[in-house]
Amino acid sequence: GQRDWPWYWSSTTHVETDPRTGSDTGKSAAYICFGRATGKQFGLWLDVHGAGAQRTDSKVIDSKQSMVAQADFSWPFKKIGKLESGVKSTLRQVDNDQSISYYQESSGTYLEDPLFSDVFSYDEQVLAAYSMFSGKWSKFEYNAGLRAEQTLVSVYSKQADNTFDNDYLKFFPSVFIKYNLKSKQEVQFSYSRRINRPDSRQLNPFTDFSDSLSIRTGNPYLQPELINSFEVSYARNWEGGSFTSSVYRRHTDDLISRYRSVDTTSGIA
């Protein structure tokens, strides 16, 4: 069955207008909470250890919870631009309990098989703060910002009998510049850095034997991918259409990919 915790969502926005300049100073805050739990239990006849089909009882329970809280602020500067800043906190928790028990004829009871059973917990907290300034000067339009993220990750596996902690602080700059040429032409340059974190499945050190020909395990020491993107573009507009051309480069540090090896004796991957 499946059980959902309802969405809890709350937000507030406050805007103040400067009577002298007519510019707005804004403040906003939001809080979101969501949870979901799913459970499955079923019986199968499986060849658990290569000794012929046995009656088994399988159980899988998944629980996921997420909470997000953030606050944003903006301050306009007359004839210069606008400064935006904010903070955000994200908490995510994933719990997975899976087990296979096989039926023992002599005792008439089910015994849990530790090779196919595990309790896995994944806790992630991300604390972020950003600041960004945007504006116009002469024929230039620009936007520059910096975001800092402190990530705290804790992974626990019952099968591995260990807790793995991975904490890291990363910075993410971004720059956008546009120069307006004559005759409805413009040139743009942009740079940004973003992050791709490994998911809980990729971090789970539990060795999955559910497919006897393909044994899978995660790496709790995986680092996040960091992607740096550069782009330069040119655009020209006419009344009947437009033309755009761009070149870009993307570079990824600590690329996450699946690694496969084959046991030459058994043929198992």
Side-chain angles (χ1 to χ4, degrees):
Q2 176 173 300
R3 182 167 65 91
D4 289 345
W5 286 281
W7 280 93
Y8 293 101
W9 180 81
S10 176
S11 68
T12 179
T13 301
H14 177 68
V15 178
E16 296 179 355
T17 302
D18 190 329
R20 297 171 298 175
T21 63
S23 59
D24 295 332
T25 300
K27 304 173 185 177
S28 64
Y31 171 78
I32 299 173
C33 179
F34 177 72
R36 167 171 290 179
T38 59
K40 296 179 182 178
Q41 187 167 0
F42 48 91
L44 294 173
W45 286 83
L46 298 175
D47 186 354
V48 181
H49 295 291
Q54 293 178 279
R55 189 167 61 180
T56 65
D57 181 66
S58 301
K59 178 185 68 175
V60 179
I61 299 176
D62 283 304
S63 174
K64 299 179 180 179
Q65 298 182 64
S66 297
M67 289 182 288
V68 180
Q70 67 181 75
D72 300 283
F73 310 89
S74 63
W75 298 273
F77 293 87
K78 186 178 180 181
K79 298 181 180 180
I80 298 178
K82 180 172 66 173
L83 176 65
E84 299 175 77
S85 296
V87 292
K88 183 177 181 180
S89 176
T90 304
L91 293 93
R92 192 158 65 96
Q93 185 178 50
V94 177
D95 294 299
N96 175 268
D97 184 354
Q98 57 180 325
S99 66
I100 291 182
S101 301
Y102 60 91
Y103 185 73
Q104 189 179 58
E105 296 286 349
S106 58
S107 63
T109 59
Y110 284 92
L111 299 178
E112 184 176 278
D113 191 331
L115 189 66
F116 293 86
S117 306
D118 188 40
V119 175
F120 171 74
S121 296
Y122 173 81
D123 293 286
E124 177 190 270
Q125 182 177 12
V126 181
L127 305 172
Y130 78 92
S131 186
M132 179 174 60
F133 189 83
S134 58
K136 296 178 63 176
W137 177 76
S138 185
K139 295 183 179 182
F140 287 93
E141 296 180 32
Y142 53 87
N143 184 317
L146 179 65
R147 188 176 82 258
E149 292 188 359
Q150 173 68 59
T151 303
L152 310 172
V153 175
S154 180
V155 174
Y156 167 75
S157 170
K158 181 180 178 181
Q159 187 196 60
D161 191 26
N162 201 356
T163 298
F164 306 88
D165 295 320
N166 187 13
D167 304 338
Y168 49 87
L169 174 65
K170 302 294 183 182
F171 296 92
F172 305 93
S174 63
V175 177
F176 171 81
I177 300 174
K178 181 170 75 171
Y179 182 71
N180 296 300
L181 302 168
K182 297 180 180 180
S183 305
K184 296 183 180 180
Q185 301 177 78
E186 61 185 42
V187 178
Q188 297 182 7
F189 166 79
S190 65
Y191 163 75
S192 65
R193 191 184 196 207
R194 61 186 180 87
I195 188 171
N196 179 29
R197 296 182 178 85
D199 60 32
S200 58
R201 181 180 173 86
Q202 293 169 321
L203 294 171
N204 190 352
F206 171 62
T207 303
D208 186 355
F209 293 91
S210 58
D211 184 346
S212 61
L213 298 179
S214 182
I215 299 173
R216 189 193 67 82
T217 185
N219 179 7
Y221 298 106
L222 274 179
Q223 296 296 309
E225 291 182 343
L226 298 174
I227 302 100
N228 295 280
S229 301
F230 304 83
E231 184 172 355
V232 178
S233 64
Y234 165 81
R236 180 166 185 174
N237 300 299
W238 296 278
E239 291 186 3
S242 63
F243 169 79
T244 302
S245 177
S246 64
V247 293
Y248 69 90
R249 181 176 185 270
R250 290 189 178 94
H251 175 76
T252 301
D253 294 316
D254 297 319
L255 178 68
I256 298 174
S257 61
R258 180 177 295 181
Y259 174 78
R260 174 172 291 184
S261 62
V262 178
D263 188 320
T264 56
T265 302
S266 65
I268 297 177

